[in-house]
Amino acid sequence: MTQAIVVERDGAVLTLRLNRPEKKNALTRDMYSRLAHALEQADADASVHAVVLCASAQCFTSGNDIADFLQDPPVDLSSPVFCFMRSLMACRKPVVAAVAATAVGIGTTLLLHCDLVYVTADARLRMPFVNLGLSPEFGSSLLLVQRLGQARAAELLLLGEGFSGAQAAAWGLANAALEDGEAVWRAALVAAHRLAALAPAAVQDTKRLMKAPGREQLQRVIEEESWLFIQRLSSPEAMAALSGFINKGSPKTL
């Protein structure tokens, strides 16, 4: 059976690769649990100095697997998706993301919590939460306003407008927009090994200091977003939109 999360080790660099190509790397509860566990292990392992989060050259992730999500929706903050969020936020080791092609929903919002992000210039990123009767998650309602301003954040979150990897880099949401998936993977790996070669404690202290301002506010916002997301999932608006995706045979992701 193919592993949906592939964990690989190269010296002091740990790579977590989404590996569900037949479903465009749509994330399931099990995948969230595996990612959370791997991040927690990496954080506790002194021999791991950096983490790379990646997928394939064809797709980063199309978001949540709706069928899986609705089969056992999150009912409280102990649900796997929220455990993954906390693990990524709490990881003291630098996390480098390599994004090619498509990043939908949490595939985009998780990038706001990575330390370095490399994308293909033609990547398509989108957060269609409101379009599906849902609300933003993973701190995006706070972080996007802070980074992009109210007007642009409203386009992305209220209208659910997509944007390219080139735009992400121009707006400061990514470090670089490169020509293809191979270039993105190389850039992420080079950056991770550069980080791994530095003094681990100094890297971790610097990451902590950079993220310290506003951290308590961000945690409060994520908690409020999470509870609202849980409530919205059972709303008539969301149920109609999500059921329509499944019944019409549309891509079953968000």
Side-chain angles (χ1 to χ4, degrees), residues 134-220:
L134 300 171
S135 53
E137 35 85 312
F138 216 168
S140 55
S141 64
L142 173 67
L143 296 175
L144 287 172
V145 173
Q146 289 179 339
R147 296 187 187 187
L148 303 180
Q150 181 73 31
R152 181 158 285 156
E155 291 178 343
L156 303 185
L157 291 177
L158 287 176
L159 295 177
E161 290 190 359
F163 57 103
S164 69
Q167 288 174 305
W171 295 344
L173 298 180
N175 295 87
L178 304 171
E179 61 271 21
D180 56 34
E182 182 62 31
V184 164
W185 165 247
R186 288 198 304 269
L189 201 59
V190 167
H193 279 284
R194 285 182 61 189
L195 288 165
L198 299 171
V203 170
Q204 292 172 37
D205 283 345
T206 302
K207 173 173 177 171
R208 176 178 55 79
L209 290 168
M210 291 173 66
K211 290 185 175 291
R215 186 176 184 86
E216 291 184 3
Q217 181 190 17
L218 176 58
Q219 290 173 329
R220 287 196 301 271

Side-chain angles (χ1 to χ4, degrees), residues 62-181:
S62 53
N64 285 308
D65 183 306
I66 290 179
D68 179 85
F69 214 56
L70 294 183
Q71 181 181 346
D72 187 11
V75 295
D76 57 39
L77 301 189
S78 67
S79 297
V81 60
F82 301 128
C83 292
F84 163 69
M85 290 182 188
R86 288 193 295 272
S87 296
L88 180 56
M89 278 192 64
C91 188
R92 295 170 298 170
K93 314 296 174 67
V95 179
V96 183
V99 179
T102 303
V104 178
I106 197 168
T108 293
T109 60
L110 72 83
L111 303 178
L112 301 173
H113 301 274
C114 294
D115 301 290
L116 295 170
V117 177
Y118 299 93
V119 297
T120 52
D122 63 353
R124 295 304 300 169
L125 300 93
R126 191 176 178 222
M127 295 165 286
F129 302 116
V130 172
N131 308 69
L132 294 169
L134 300 171
S135 53
E137 35 85 312
F138 216 168
S140 55
S141 64
L142 173 67
L143 296 175
L144 287 172
V145 173
Q146 289 179 339
R147 296 187 187 187
L148 303 180
Q150 181 73 31
R152 181 158 285 156
E155 291 178 343
L156 303 185
L157 291 177
L158 287 176
L159 295 177
E161 290 190 359
F163 57 103
S164 69
Q167 288 174 305
W171 295 344
L173 298 180
N175 295 87
L178 304 171
E179 61 271 21
D180 56 34

